[in-house]
Amino acid sequence: MRLDKLFTTVGLLSRKECAAAVRRGRITVNGAVAKAPDLAVDPEGDTVTLDGERVAYARHAYLWLNKPKGYVSATEDGRLPVVTELVPPEYARRGLFPCGRLDRDTEGLLLLTDDGPLTHALLSPKRGVRKVYRFTTEVPLPADAEERLLGGMMLGEVTCRPALLSPNADRLGGTVTLTEGKYHEVKRMMAALGAPLLSLERIAFADIPLDPTLPRGACRPLTDGELAHLKRAALSADNN
Ligand code: URA
């Protein structure tokens, strides 16, 4: 990888700033002052410093976003704001994308990453990764809602996987745990039960809860423990 690409990838310097830093002798590679911004470096094997500080390089970036309403789960949309607009500037050149989709009007926990294989594994129906949603409904859930969701609801021609429903005491909503991600699945399930949704928020992904200190619209990197947990969930044949 080129030296300037390393600096733009980790979000420390733009290409222009890297060239200027090289001219001023601020960058070293394996102890020697770097002479050119297009120097080839091994970002994982070589020791690169800026002003004497080692530059930490990670092959992939992983962020939690507390998604607000109004954003499309995509990297671009001709018309509407997209979730990647909420990525902090130091990650802007990473090319992050959302791991799966939350509807435009759904809030809550969404993983943003540039790790394609992990994303693919976490979304694979074979893995059965759990997603928990909190929701409210216009009218109380019917008495047989738990049983119908656990039995695998029919949505049109399609049978859903069993879903665990925990209604609130007033039955005007609750939480539901899914192990798949069909199009508008929670919305369609509740509509089929005769209790259309008022609000929907994802509160856990792969058993990792939404961080209550993460403000709506904000991102934070995953902890090492969270990432290790996600990687384990992605490897398990079936998480249930
Ligand atoms: N189910 C839905 O209906 N919408 C979402 O955004 C997620 C799950």
Side-chain angles (χ1 to χ4, degrees), residues 102-103 106 133 184-187 200:
L102 291 178
D103 295 339
T106 301
Y133 297 89
H184 289 173
E185 190 163 2
V186 180
K187 271 187 196 136
L200 184 60

mmCIF file of all heavy atoms in Angstrom, residues 102-103 106 133 184-187 200, ligand 1:
data_model
loop_
_atom_site.group_PDB
_atom_site.id
_atom_site.type_symbol
_atom_site.label_atom_id
_atom_site.label_comp_id
_atom_site.label_asym_id
_atom_site.label_seq_id
_atom_site.Cartn_x
_atom_site.Cartn_y
_atom_site.Cartn_z
ATOM 1 N N LEU A 102 -31.994 -1.406 8.007
ATOM 2 C CA LEU A 102 -33.146 -0.994 8.808
ATOM 3 C C LEU A 102 -33.939 -0.069 7.902
ATOM 4 O O LEU A 102 -33.349 0.712 7.137
ATOM 5 C CB LEU A 102 -32.703 -0.253 10.071
ATOM 6 C CG LEU A 102 -31.984 -1.090 11.135
ATOM 7 C CD1 LEU A 102 -31.555 -0.210 12.314
ATOM 8 C CD2 LEU A 102 -32.861 -2.229 11.626
ATOM 9 N N ASP A 103 -35.267 -0.141 7.994
ATOM 10 C CA ASP A 103 -36.088 0.723 7.148
ATOM 11 C C ASP A 103 -35.797 2.194 7.463
ATOM 12 O O ASP A 103 -35.308 2.527 8.539
ATOM 13 C CB ASP A 103 -37.579 0.463 7.396
ATOM 14 C CG ASP A 103 -37.969 -0.943 6.977
ATOM 15 O OD1 ASP A 103 -37.253 -1.547 6.167
ATOM 16 O OD2 ASP A 103 -39.000 -1.434 7.492
ATOM 17 N N THR A 106 -37.085 3.212 10.738
ATOM 18 C CA THR A 106 -36.669 2.400 11.893
ATOM 19 C C THR A 106 -35.418 3.021 12.501
ATOM 20 O O THR A 106 -34.549 3.516 11.786
ATOM 21 C CB THR A 106 -36.373 0.946 11.450
ATOM 22 O OG1 THR A 106 -37.544 0.407 10.860
ATOM 23 C CG2 THR A 106 -35.959 0.078 12.625
ATOM 24 N N TYR A 133 -35.991 -6.335 18.401
ATOM 25 C CA TYR A 133 -36.649 -5.059 18.064
ATOM 26 C C TYR A 133 -37.641 -4.699 19.155
ATOM 27 O O TYR A 133 -38.371 -5.567 19.643
ATOM 28 C CB TYR A 133 -37.417 -5.187 16.739
ATOM 29 C CG TYR A 133 -36.526 -5.473 15.571
ATOM 30 C CD1 TYR A 133 -36.207 -6.780 15.208
ATOM 31 C CD2 TYR A 133 -35.975 -4.427 14.822
ATOM 32 C CE1 TYR A 133 -35.370 -7.042 14.138
ATOM 33 C CE2 TYR A 133 -35.144 -4.693 13.741
ATOM 34 C CZ TYR A 133 -34.844 -5.995 13.408
ATOM 35 O OH TYR A 133 -34.007 -6.263 12.351
ATOM 36 N N HIS A 184 -39.238 -5.821 5.503
ATOM 37 C CA HIS A 184 -40.267 -5.226 6.375
ATOM 38 C C HIS A 184 -40.883 -6.281 7.309
ATOM 39 O O HIS A 184 -42.092 -6.254 7.556
ATOM 40 C CB HIS A 184 -41.395 -4.595 5.538
ATOM 41 C CG HIS A 184 -40.978 -3.356 4.827
ATOM 42 N ND1 HIS A 184 -41.801 -2.723 3.928
ATOM 43 C CD2 HIS A 184 -39.870 -2.620 4.867
ATOM 44 C CE1 HIS A 184 -41.193 -1.655 3.452
ATOM 45 N NE2 HIS A 184 -40.010 -1.584 4.014
ATOM 46 N N GLU A 185 -40.039 -7.168 7.810
ATOM 47 C CA GLU A 185 -40.582 -8.349 8.483
ATOM 48 C C GLU A 185 -41.439 -8.011 9.714
ATOM 49 O O GLU A 185 -42.551 -8.530 9.855
ATOM 50 C CB GLU A 185 -39.439 -9.295 8.880
ATOM 51 C CG GLU A 185 -39.964 -10.641 9.353
ATOM 52 C CD GLU A 185 -38.901 -11.721 9.364
ATOM 53 O OE1 GLU A 185 -37.740 -11.417 9.041
ATOM 54 O OE2 GLU A 185 -39.243 -12.859 9.708
ATOM 55 N N VAL A 186 -40.919 -7.159 10.589
ATOM 56 C CA VAL A 186 -41.682 -6.866 11.818
ATOM 57 C C VAL A 186 -42.969 -6.107 11.455
ATOM 58 O O VAL A 186 -44.055 -6.421 11.953
ATOM 59 C CB VAL A 186 -40.828 -6.069 12.834
ATOM 60 C CG1 VAL A 186 -41.627 -5.786 14.095
ATOM 61 C CG2 VAL A 186 -39.549 -6.833 13.181
ATOM 62 N N LYS A 187 -42.826 -5.137 10.557
ATOM 63 C CA LYS A 187 -44.015 -4.361 10.129
ATOM 64 C C LYS A 187 -45.096 -5.286 9.588
ATOM 65 O O LYS A 187 -46.276 -5.159 9.938
ATOM 66 C CB LYS A 187 -43.623 -3.418 8.984
ATOM 67 C CG LYS A 187 -43.144 -2.089 9.460
ATOM 68 C CD LYS A 187 -42.925 -1.138 8.303
ATOM 69 C CE LYS A 187 -42.082 0.002 8.828
ATOM 70 N NZ LYS A 187 -41.009 0.401 7.970
ATOM 71 N N LEU A 200 -40.568 1.504 15.606
ATOM 72 C CA LEU A 200 -39.730 0.304 15.572
ATOM 73 C C LEU A 200 -38.274 0.712 15.805
ATOM 74 O O LEU A 200 -37.774 1.644 15.165
ATOM 75 C CB LEU A 200 -39.867 -0.379 14.206
ATOM 76 C CG LEU A 200 -39.140 -1.710 14.025
ATOM 77 C CD1 LEU A 200 -39.629 -2.759 15.031
ATOM 78 C CD2 LEU A 200 -39.340 -2.234 12.607
HETATM 79 N N1 URA B 1 -38.490 -5.253 10.277
HETATM 80 C C1 URA B 1 -39.063 -4.183 9.704
HETATM 81 O O1 URA B 1 -40.244 -4.204 9.371
HETATM 82 N N2 URA B 1 -38.308 -3.092 9.511
HETATM 83 C C2 URA B 1 -37.010 -2.994 9.878
HETATM 84 O O2 URA B 1 -36.372 -1.966 9.677
HETATM 85 C C3 URA B 1 -36.432 -4.125 10.486
HETATM 86 C C4 URA B 1 -37.186 -5.239 10.671
#
